[in-house]
Amino acid sequence: MNRNAGRDISQDTTGNADGAADREVSRVADGAADREVSRTADRAADRDVSRITDRVTGRDVSRIVIENCAVATVDAHDTEYPSGHVVVAGDRIESVGAGRAPQGLAGVVRRIDGTGHLVTPGLVNTHHHFYQWLTRGLAQDSNLFDWLVALYPTWARIDEPMVHAAARGSLAMMVRGGVTTAMDHHYVFPRGSGDLLGAEIRAARELGVRFTAARGSMDLGVSDGGLPPDFAVESTEEALAATEEAVDTHHDPGFGAMLQIAVAPCSPFSVSTELLREAAALARRKGVRLHTHGSETVEEEKFCQERFGMGPTDYFASTGWLGEDVWMAHCVHMSDTDVQAFARTGTGVAHCPSSNARLAAGIARVPDLLAAGVPVGLGVDGTASNESGELHTELRNALLVNRLGVHRERALTARQALRLGTHGGARVLGRQDQIGSLEPGKLADLVLWKLDGLGHSSIADPVAALVLGAPAPVTLSLVGGVPVVESGRLLRVDEDEIAREARAEARRLARIAAGG
């Protein structure tokens, strides 16, 4: 094993390695950039990391150089370099290519020897429920409907401190495992519980991750034929008003945005037809994306047939919920006609293989969706149905689970799995021009994976090592050119403190739910 793999050699532009002055510049510049980005994380296209570094170094732009590593760009041609480089300038990718980085670059504050590593785009999560971090390991042998009925009474007791702790736990697990863009679908808003969406937004800002917050809603309680208890739902008017306020307050439409909002009624069995229709109209009036659950189980299919006289896809079409600005979680039980409707309208899918297996929902037709041209990304889903909470495991499980389907060994390749977790996710979130591949001009969201250790060193193909092997350690993860993970540790938060807080809030929730 190369002892220098992944280490900084912190060179100045004349090639003098390990100079004390350059080490100090690197340390100070990184710290200044981190502090400034933390303060301005929710500002949009004018966020300029290069200007921040200018004030420290006096150079035109700060650059991070990563070289001597395998590179999987996940661009349109799946370009790969067995030994290549990536140059980050400010918050953008400046160059990607074979061999060493160009010579004579100005403003190099870090130069990283990536020997034994693979660099990829950062992972993009397209479906999650952060609050469920506090209820992991429950209802272990239930299908979706039974699982929901068992857990809704507990979830209806959440409050702002609980959601903040749960969001930090969920985000920490994902970010430490290579996620640079996170998404959450929060739809439980008990009365008097505080600012739950704001709690998630604060957590994402603390960790320095790019974030899409889907403001969910439910207005169909048990007394109206839905699944949630009546005290866990909002009125239609309340849900729409709160959703519009979230968009107006938080959504950033700009290139490089750290925070965006989506409109996200929960599901056909917890939301009225009126809320679905009005939410779609609201989203399009505001120019934001739409998200919901769809076609997850056979029980959902039966529910829609009995209540609406049609299957989920036809029902969504009747309410304005198909289109290039829409993505749905799961989409397991889809006919050929359903797949064609998604392809024709550009409707996206968040594939959540671990959760689908945990709840015995079935195997989504991912190979057929991809062949038809449907945008498909990966999702962790809530950690009450995917206790690991990592997106990296979904790369592997997407490949393995789909090979159990009708396509068998031809279902997915390792590179298709990586694409689902990067460019596919970016496309589903409508940000494929900004993130999801390593290309000049795109945002510098990338991950350097260590593959020369015990778990991976004998796998010659680095992409196969990443997808099929054990979870790979993250040597470096950048979001907009700013480090958020180094040597497997989160830089902005204390993991042990997050774990303690989450455990305490989980116990408090359990006591409250039990009437204690």
Side-chain angles (χ1 to χ4, degrees):
M1 183 178 75
N2 188 320
R3 294 181 182 274
N4 295 327
R7 70 179 176 90
D8 286 0
I9 56 176
S10 296
Q11 291 182 330
D12 64 16
T13 54
T14 63
N16 296 320
D18 294 328
D22 278 300
R23 286 199 302 274
E24 182 65 13
V25 166
S26 177
R27 183 183 66 79
V28 174
D30 287 348
D34 281 359
R35 289 192 298 275
E36 181 69 11
V37 170
S38 177
R39 287 195 296 267
T40 62
D42 57 351
R43 294 207 295 265
D46 63 346
R47 185 172 73 88
D48 189 347
V49 176
S50 66
R51 283 202 313 250
I52 296 161
T53 310
D54 284 350
R55 294 197 292 268
V56 178
T57 66
R59 294 166 174 160
D60 292 337
V61 66
S62 65
R63 287 184 172 85
I64 299 173
V65 175
I66 306 170
E67 53 192 355
N68 303 325
C69 54
V71 180
T73 67
V74 200
D75 64 9
H77 307 289
D78 277 329
T79 305
E80 296 181 12
Y81 303 103
S83 180
H85 69 270
V86 178
V87 176
V88 171
D91 65 348
R92 308 292 177 93
I93 296 170
E94 183 175 67
S95 67
V96 183
R100 300 288 295 272
Q103 296 298 307
L105 293 173
V108 176
V109 295
R110 298 190 67 181
R111 188 177 291 272
I112 299 168
D113 177 8
T115 302
H117 287 67
L118 168 69
V119 64
T120 72
L123 301 183
V124 179
N125 183 40
T126 62
H127 185 67
H128 210 314
H129 307 295
F130 291 170
Y131 73 90
Q132 293 181 14
W133 188 260
L134 304 184
T135 57
R136 294 191 293 169
L138 304 178
Q140 296 174 19
D141 303 309
S142 299
N143 65 26
L144 175 66
F145 277 23
D146 292 343
W147 178 83
L148 289 171
V149 169
L151 292 176
Y152 268 140
T154 298
W155 294 340
R157 307 298 184 183
I158 59 175
D159 60 23
E160 186 173 342
M162 292 176 189
V163 171
H164 182 253
R168 293 216 303 164
S170 296
L171 286 163
M173 199 68 187
M174 286 190 295
V175 173
R176 195 180 68 175
V179 168
T180 54
T181 296
M183 174 272 175
D184 190 65
H185 183 193
H186 188 88
Y187 53 85
V188 182
F189 292 91
R191 296 184 185 280
S193 56
D195 184 4
L196 304 189
L197 194 70
E200 295 192 324
I201 290 169
R202 290 199 311 274
R205 188 173 295 135
E206 289 166 23
L207 273 85
V209 67
R210 216 173 291 282
F211 185 40
T212 295
R215 206 292 179 180
S217 53
M218 300 188 295
D219 69 342
L220 195 65
V222 170
S223 63
D224 293 319
L227 281 184
D230 289 340
F231 60 82
V233 303
E234 301 171 283
S235 71
T236 305
E237 294 75 17
E238 287 171 334
L240 290 169
T243 301
E244 184 165 7
E245 181 182 8
V247 175
D248 290 343
T249 303
H250 298 295
H251 181 69
D252 182 349
F255 190 100
M258 293 296 288
L259 174 62
Q260 296 194 328
I261 304 295
V263 174
C266 183
S267 66
F269 47 83
S270 60
V271 170
S272 68
T273 300
E274 180 185 2
L275 180 53
L276 274 179
R277 285 180 176 151
E278 292 301 319
L282 167 63
R284 287 170 180 138
R285 187 171 74 251
K286 295 292 183 179
V288 299
R289 299 181 77 76
L290 299 97
H291 180 60
T292 191
H293 297 87
S295 302
E296 186 173 358
T297 65
V298 293
E299 290 83 5
E300 180 185 337
E301 172 78 22
K302 181 180 178 181
F303 178 93
C304 288
Q305 289 289 351
E306 291 177 351
R307 192 172 182 90
F308 310 117
M310 63 187 86
T313 299
D314 288 339
Y315 176 60
F316 282 125
S318 75
T319 57
W321 271 78
L322 295 184
E324 293 182 351
D325 55 354
V326 179
W327 86 103
M328 299 188 194
H330 304 300
C331 300
V332 175
H333 297 278
M334 298 183 72
S335 66
D336 289 346
T337 301
D338 295 335
V339 172
Q340 291 163 9
F342 271 54
R344 183 175 60 254
T345 59
T347 306
V349 171
H351 177 43
C352 306
S354 294
S355 177
N356 294 159
R358 163 78 151 82
L359 298 175
I363 302 172
R365 298 176 58 183
V366 173
D368 297 328
L369 292 166
L370 293 175
V374 175
V376 182
L378 291 180
V380 170
D381 205 4
T383 48
S385 65
N386 177 3
E387 278 73 6
S388 78
E390 291 187 296
L391 192 67
H392 171 269
T393 59
E394 302 309 296
L395 302 177
R396 188 172 192 266
N397 287 343
L399 186 151
L400 297 181
V401 167
N402 281 279
R403 287 189 178 185
L404 294 175
V406 296
H407 297 279
R408 301 187 65 185
E409 67 274 10
R410 297 186 181 277
L412 291 177
T413 67
R415 281 158 178 82
Q416 285 178 305
L418 178 59
R419 177 170 288 276
L420 289 176
T422 53
H423 187 272
R427 186 180 174 199
V428 162
L429 296 183
R431 304 195 70 173
Q432 65 270 27
D433 294 334
Q434 304 174 38
I435 59 174
S437 60
L438 301 179
E439 300 179 75
K442 284 197 169 184
L443 294 165
D445 293 7
L446 58 84
V447 181
L448 187 65
W449 308 89
K450 180 176 173 59
L451 298 179
D452 62 354
L454 178 63
H456 307 87
S457 64
S458 59
I459 304 177
D461 178 354
V463 175
L466 177 66
V467 173
L468 291 173
V474 173
T475 291
L476 179 67
S477 180
L478 302 179
V479 177
V482 177
V484 294
V485 178
E486 295 225 29
S487 301
R489 297 292 296 181
L490 296 164
L491 293 180
R492 293 169 171 259
V493 292
D494 183 331
E495 295 178 24
D496 295 333
E497 189 272 331
I498 287 177
R500 287 191 299 271
E501 180 187 24
R503 185 174 182 85
E505 292 297 335
R507 288 174 169 175
R508 184 167 71 89
L509 175 58
R511 287 195 303 270
I512 293 172

